[in-house]
Amino acid sequence: MNGFSFGPHLTSDGVAFRLWAPAAERVDLVLGDAAHAMEREPEGWFTCDIADLHAGARYRFRIDGDMEVPDPASSFQPEDISGPSEVIDHRSYTWRATEWRGRPWEDVVFLETHVGTFTPDGTYRAMIDRLDHLVETGITALELMPLADFPGRWNWGYDGALWYAPDSSYGRPDDLKALIDEAHLRGLMVFLDVVYNHFGPEGNYLGLYAPPFFTRTHTPWGIAIDYRVPEVRGFAVENALHWLRNYRFDGLRLDAVHAIDTADDLLLRDISIATGALARTSGRTIHLVLENDDNRASLLDPLGEPPAGKYRAQWNDDYHHAWHVLLSDERFGYYQDYQPPMPHIVRALEAGFAYQGEPSLHREGAFRGEPSANLPPTAFVNFLQNHDQIGNRALGDRLVCDPAALDAALAITLLAPMPPLLFMGEEWGATTPFPFFCDFHGDLAQAVREGRRREFKQAYETFGDDVPDPLAEATFARAKLDWQELQSPDGQRRHALIRKLLAVRQHEIVPNLRDAAFGEAGIESDGTLFASWSLGGELLTLTANLSTYPSARTVHSDSFIWGEPGPLAPWRVCWTMEGA
């Protein structure tokens, strides 16, 4: 694929500016009160070289003598999404972790975080002070929810409209680099969630001067992006490389790729191939992960090194949904597809996806998924909570259930061969809610309120004013983690459990994951859950009683890595590892 070189570039004597604006007759570069006519080139490109200009300069583009817009490939927006763009010199940061080349995929234990709510200050710099906590817990990969510039002061990040600019509410670009640098110095990988299925509803002006960016197809979040157009596809591919190269992220998680309107997986292929080329030339280990409601097993290859058209793994919503039904007994929405839950948990443990081509009641009978048992277990990122499964609830409440049941679920999730993910604070049992929040204004703000009321009509009828207003600053403030909970008796107990589980994972599971393969799983006549996996020359076996009733089963083994001999009490989990 040809490189298109979006955004400004520092030259030996100034700055070169470029904009793809095929529908514009004239484009001017605006620097302060001065306007410089840009030269129109073939294929809709406009260029302008300005001598004696340096990093820190702020600029806009004026389209056809009328509207002034930010650079769609802006590296930074110091005055929010519709303000001037700032030229950033990405070469000026002095990296300290110069020997860092990443870690193998088998090492990964994710902690998903939202920068604005992870600490009281809500900044990149403030996160640095919490990195040692991650290392002590056993986390190996810090995952940041999207950073692309969004309108206002707070947002989940999925409303980003300027994809290249880390939002200024969290700090400057060098602050983000310092966070990643400090993480690498501690042996932590850092991943970024990126959104290529839509632009946010405010701050995106591409339709005015580059209408080929969009199709007539609609997604749940707006008009679809047309990745059949080479320049459009190049914009997203260069964005992925921008985060990986300029900020040295160790990997990306691509949000909701099932909502990308593109033929023959062109965008997904090109991002993976370009990332693989970067990994080869830099000697780095880089990982790509998908969120994909379609359960496309054919897109996954956790063993490919470097990526060459495919992806390491996918977030496994099936695993979460089945466990959520078991632990909470909720049956609304997509949870209706996981009744009863145990067969779906079994299938996720023995073959990855629970839905591998079966009809989905929630999707009105549509067939969902592809066979996945031939893939390694490391192709499936498993979790009991994440930002979606907490935040896309009316109250933004976390999973609440019998502590013994949740301990059992964690003991299975964190020791199974599949890469585990925790949501920030889950490692100590945080009770802080994570409701949906954004900082829109005017008609857009009202549309969001009305949309939430339609989506959660029953909750508004039940809880009334207790349902948080998604536009209120108080809602954003409520989502900030209460780190004092970590020091409570319950917080200390849960944190100790997580630390022990992750220590066992690191010492017993991780060394054998490269050759892991699915085995068998099922429910025995006495209700006992069993599952097994081949890990190189070892056999990893799970035996568990996932009920409130004592089992008649007694577990005996000389090879326990978790649990001990004796009867299977309610919610008891035992793991063994022995030579196959």
Side-chain angles (χ1 to χ4, degrees):
M1 195 189 98
N2 293 325
F4 293 101
S5 191
F6 293 87
H9 295 271
L10 291 162
T11 64
S12 59
D13 62 350
V15 181
F17 295 89
R18 291 168 56 82
L19 178 71
W20 188 58
E25 294 295 326
R26 174 188 175 94
V27 177
D28 294 298
L29 172 70
V30 179
L31 293 164
D33 295 329
H36 305 263
M38 301 184 72
E39 182 178 354
R40 186 183 181 96
E41 297 185 350
E43 309 299 332
W45 286 93
F46 289 80
T47 65
C48 183
D49 291 355
I50 305 295
D52 297 323
L53 197 67
H54 308 285
R58 297 186 183 185
Y59 67 99
R60 299 177 193 255
F61 296 119
R62 182 181 295 153
I63 308 298
D64 291 331
D66 186 13
M67 177 173 282
E68 293 186 2
V69 300
D71 189 342
S74 167
S75 287
F76 190 54
Q77 293 293 116
E79 300 174 38
D80 207 4
I81 202 161
S82 294
S85 304
E86 180 178 329
V87 176
I88 297 295
D89 182 2
H90 285 293
R91 300 166 300 182
S92 66
Y93 182 83
T94 302
W95 292 91
R96 297 173 60 211
T98 55
E99 301 303 314
W100 176 262
R101 294 295 181 270
R103 294 179 65 163
W105 177 245
E106 294 79 32
D107 285 357
V108 73
V109 175
F110 287 107
L111 185 74
E112 187 194 16
T113 62
H114 177 268
V115 175
T117 57
F118 187 66
T119 65
D121 289 343
T123 65
Y124 304 123
R125 293 280 180 179
M127 291 188 80
I128 293 173
D129 295 335
R130 302 296 182 178
L131 294 178
D132 289 338
H133 161 79
L134 272 61
V135 174
E136 292 165 1
T137 301
I139 302 298
T140 63
L142 171 65
E143 180 171 331
L144 306 181
M145 289 173 64
L147 303 178
D149 201 89
F150 52 77
R153 296 159 292 174
W154 53 81
N155 195 286
W156 271 19
Y158 298 91
D159 293 314
L162 298 178
W163 290 357
Y164 288 68
D167 197 87
S168 60
S169 61
Y170 304 144
R172 291 187 56 83
D174 276 5
D175 297 325
L176 174 56
K177 292 175 184 178
L179 168 62
I180 296 169
D181 207 12
E182 291 294 332
H184 289 166
L185 288 170
R186 292 163 171 81
L188 288 166
M189 296 176 276
V190 188
F191 284 68
L192 177 64
D193 198 346
V194 290
V195 182
Y196 297 135
N197 55 62
H198 74 288
F199 287 91
E202 182 180 331
N204 170 28
Y205 302 96
L206 286 164
L208 298 175
Y209 56 83
F213 251 90
F214 304 99
T215 73
R216 295 183 178 181
T217 304
H218 283 263
T219 76
W221 306 286
I223 301 175
I225 302 168
D226 193 351
Y227 287 118
R228 294 168 297 181
V229 178
E231 290 84 355
V232 177
R233 199 160 68 253
F235 185 81
V237 173
E238 286 191 18
N239 178 257
L241 295 177
H242 164 74
W243 294 115
L244 295 169
R245 181 184 293 123
N246 292 327
Y247 290 92
R248 301 194 182 183
F249 278 99
D250 298 280
L252 304 174
R253 178 256 192 194
L254 278 64
D255 179 69
V257 300
H258 56 272
I260 292 176
D261 182 29
T262 177
D264 301 322
D265 299 318
L266 291 174
L267 176 66
L268 298 182
R269 179 204 66 192
D270 285 358
I271 287 177
S272 178
I273 291 173
T275 298
L278 174 61
R280 281 193 301 273
T281 58
S282 64
R284 294 165 55 195
T285 299
I286 301 175
H287 310 293
L288 299 175
V289 181
L290 297 177
E291 179 192 30
N292 188 354
D293 191 62
D294 291 338
N295 281 5
R296 295 273 307 282
S298 55
L299 293 175
L300 307 178
D301 177 14
L303 303 179
E305 189 63 62
K310 295 193 176 184
Y311 289 73
R312 292 271 191 247
Q314 176 182 314
W315 276 25
N316 193 357
D317 281 344
D318 285 351
Y319 183 87
H320 167 273
H321 297 347
W323 271 104
H324 191 87
V325 172
L326 178 70
L327 297 173
S328 71
D329 202 34
E330 292 181 4
R331 304 178 181 214
F332 57 85
Y334 43 68
Y335 293 133
Q336 65 186 299
D337 280 348
Y338 300 86
Q339 307 291 334
M342 283 304 298
H344 297 283
I345 291 175
V346 166
R347 198 173 201 203
L349 292 174
E350 72 176 353
F353 295 136
Y355 276 84
Q356 301 181 28
E358 293 77 17
S360 162
L361 179 63
H362 175 63
R363 296 163 183 81
E364 299 179 341
F367 295 96
R368 174 173 175 252
E370 297 175 349
S372 59
N374 61 312
L375 288 169
T378 48
F380 306 91
V381 177
N382 285 350
F383 45 86
L384 299 174
Q385 301 186 68
N386 64 29
H387 76 275
D388 268 333
Q389 309 307 334
I390 300 169
N392 287 332
R393 298 167 64 83
L395 302 179
D397 49 319
R398 295 179 183 246
L399 178 62
V400 177
C401 64
D402 178 351
L406 190 51
D407 287 353
L410 287 165
I412 293 175
T413 303
L414 298 184
L415 293 185
M418 293 71 87
L421 177 143
L422 299 167
F423 185 66
M424 59 180 193
E426 187 180 355
E427 71 272 25
W428 71 73
T431 62
T432 313
F434 190 74
F436 177 73
F437 49 79
C438 55
D439 187 26
F440 298 148
H441 300 277
D443 292 344
L444 180 56
Q446 190 56 33
V448 170
R449 285 192 178 101
E450 292 173 357
R452 298 289 288 184
R453 285 188 173 275
R454 286 193 299 271
E455 183 178 2
F456 299 109
K457 179 180 178 181
Q458 185 175 352
Y460 276 92
E461 292 173 351
T462 303
F463 299 109
D465 292 341
D466 289 337
V467 178
D469 177 0
L471 282 303
E473 184 172 2
T475 301
F476 168 61
R478 285 184 62 195
K480 286 183 177 283
L481 275 180
D482 179 5
W483 284 83
Q484 293 302 313
E485 284 190 311
L486 174 57
Q487 305 306 322
S488 70
D490 286 345
Q492 290 284 290
R493 186 197 69 81
R494 176 59 54 76
H495 191 226
L497 173 67
I498 298 298
R499 290 178 64 179
K500 290 177 183 176
L501 286 166
L502 292 180
V504 172
R505 179 180 187 85
Q506 179 63 36
H507 291 106
E508 302 289 348
I509 308 298
V510 169
N512 299 302
L513 278 181
R514 186 69 182 176
D515 299 315
F518 285 110
E520 298 179 322
I523 302 294
E524 299 185 347
S525 58
D526 61 1
T528 301
L529 170 69
F530 73 91
S532 66
W533 299 263
S534 171
L535 269 62
E538 304 290 323
L539 182 67
L540 176 68
T541 302
L542 164 68
T543 307
N545 176 8
L546 300 185
S547 76
T548 57
Y549 303 101
S551 170
R553 171 69 62 89
T554 298
V555 182
H556 297 287
S557 176
D558 296 326
S559 306
F560 280 102
I561 61 171
W562 188 263
E564 55 189 21
L568 274 181
W571 300 111
R572 185 166 175 222
V573 174
C574 295
W575 287 94
T576 61
M577 180 90 80
E578 53 192 347

